[in-house]
Structures are given as C-alpha cells and as structure tokens.
Amino acid sequence: MQCHTLSVKEVARYLGVHTDTIYTMVKLKQIPHVKLRNRILFTQETIDEWMQGQARENIDN
C-alpha cells in the first residue's frame, strides 16, 4: 500500500481553504495529522475518511 503524505499547503489547496485554517484546526486537534519534528503531515486517505465522517455528521444533525 502506498502512503502519500500531504503538507499543510497541499491540504489547504485540496480542501479549498486558507493555510491559516488548517493550522488552526491542527492546533485545536480538529483534523487528523501527524507531527514529525517541525513538520505537520497528513495522508490523503485519512483526510478523505475524515471528510466523509464530517459529511455524515452534518447529515445526522
């Protein structure tokens, strides 16, 4: 299985939001991420799963 990591900038572009939004979400632990020394990394698979979960929550509410 191939794991493709994304940077904050790439996730922001992927989700269509500003990088500041991603940094805030990371700080508040609202988005799944991994910290590796000074870097914040994401996997596209995890972000996609997280987005699906967010969509399900919105439907249920």
Side-chain angles (χ1 to χ4, degrees):
M1 182 174 127
Q2 194 174 28
C3 184
H4 177 59
T5 58
L6 302 169
S7 67
V8 169
K9 189 174 182 178
E10 290 169 323
V11 169
R13 190 175 326 122
Y14 185 65
L15 298 178
V17 298
H18 196 274
T19 55
D20 290 346
T21 301
I22 301 300
Y23 283 117
T24 300
M25 292 177 80
V26 166
K27 183 178 179 181
L28 297 174
K29 299 182 181 185
Q30 295 176 336
I31 190 169
H33 64 281
V34 174
K35 284 191 176 182
L36 186 62
R37 294 196 178 231
N38 294 342
R39 297 202 54 193
I40 300 167
L41 300 172
F42 309 84
T43 63
Q44 185 167 349
E45 180 179 318
T46 303
I47 294 299
D48 289 341
E49 289 172 4
W50 173 76
M51 287 287 291
Q52 290 173 356
Q54 295 296 304
R56 279 192 295 275
E57 277 185 30
N58 288 337
I59 289 172
D60 291 342
N61 290 331

